[in-house]
Amino acid sequence: MKPAPRIILSLLVLTGWAAAEVPETPAVTKYRNLWTDSPFTSKPPPVESGPAENPIGDYALLGVSPIPSGYRVTIVEKKNPEERIVLESDKPKEGFKILAVIRKAGDPLGTTVRLATGAMTGTVAFEDKLLEIKAPPPQQAAAKAPPGIPGQPQPAVPGQSPQRQPRPRVVPPPAPNQTPQQGGAAQPAPQRPQLRRR
């Protein structure tokens, strides 16, 4: 082959190569219809929303008492029994409203209360485990212990200095020839016996 056509052919190849575009990544939206509305696959079933969780189920009844405007109800959250909510028939509180109080004859712990919060309604009842009185921790029990028998040494409480026991006061009885006086009159001072000198 002659050098002239070879040079022309190489120039054409180099020009075409230089003019070629760099390939670009297609946009994500370009193929969106294929995965949302594909003719080859069936569509997934619609997501069914389950029943909304009722927050009243998280509470238990602690007390019910009649008041002039209806009832006063104390409820407590089962997971956090330290926080109590006190409701009254005419005063909703923290989104809770009393709908009805159902008393069971002969069984005070069988009482239930129908409550509403938002569009939800539910019933709360007494639960035995929340009604139990818990003993205080040992340190508090020792600090609140009643005083023991007078005259007996008291056990030492950690963190407190021991208390001194008061001495019992002894009052001598009045002399047989003196009569106790009424009112605020001053009593004569007892006389000391005189010693005789020899």
Side-chain angles (χ1 to χ4, degrees):
M1 195 175 206
K2 295 185 180 179
R6 191 180 289 176
I7 293 174
I8 292 174
L9 187 58
S10 351
L11 283 173
L12 287 173
V13 171
L14 288 173
T15 306
W17 182 52
E21 294 181 10
V22 177
E24 295 178 4
T25 305
V28 177
T29 57
K30 183 175 181 180
Y31 301 108
R32 180 175 297 192
N33 288 342
L34 288 178
W35 67 73
T36 58
D37 194 18
S38 173
F40 305 107
T41 59
S42 59
K43 293 184 179 180
V47 178
E48 295 180 10
S49 60
E53 188 176 335
N54 192 346
I56 297 175
D58 296 337
Y59 289 86
L61 187 61
L62 275 190
V64 179
S65 58
I67 58 173
S69 62
Y71 286 97
R72 177 178 292 133
V73 174
T74 305
I75 60 174
V76 65
E77 190 174 0
K78 295 175 186 177
K79 295 176 184 175
N80 188 9
E82 298 300 321
E83 293 185 19
R84 299 177 178 191
I85 301 173
V86 179
L87 310 169
E88 293 184 7
S89 295
D90 58 346
K91 296 177 186 174
K93 188 173 182 184
E94 295 188 25
F96 291 104
K97 181 180 179 183
I98 300 172
L99 298 178
V101 175
I102 301 111
R103 293 196 175 265
K104 188 173 181 183
D107 184 14
L109 295 179
T111 301
T112 58
V113 178
R114 188 127 179 98
L115 297 176
T117 177
M120 305 271 186
T121 59
T123 303
V124 292
F126 289 105
E127 290 192 13
D128 292 336
K129 64 180 182 180
L130 295 174
L131 296 176
E132 293 176 0
I133 298 174
K134 296 179 181 175
Q139 292 178 348
Q140 291 180 356
K144 293 181 180 178
I149 302 170
Q152 298 292 327
Q154 297 295 319
V157 177
Q160 290 184 355
S161 60
Q163 295 181 349
R164 192 177 127 212
Q165 292 293 325
R167 290 193 330 207
R169 182 176 169 200
V170 178
V171 179
N177 58 358
Q178 293 181 351
T179 58
Q181 296 181 0
Q182 299 290 332
Q187 294 182 356
Q191 297 179 355
R192 289 186 179 179
Q194 298 282 331
L195 295 177
R196 293 185 184 176
R197 295 185 183 181
R198 291 184 190 182

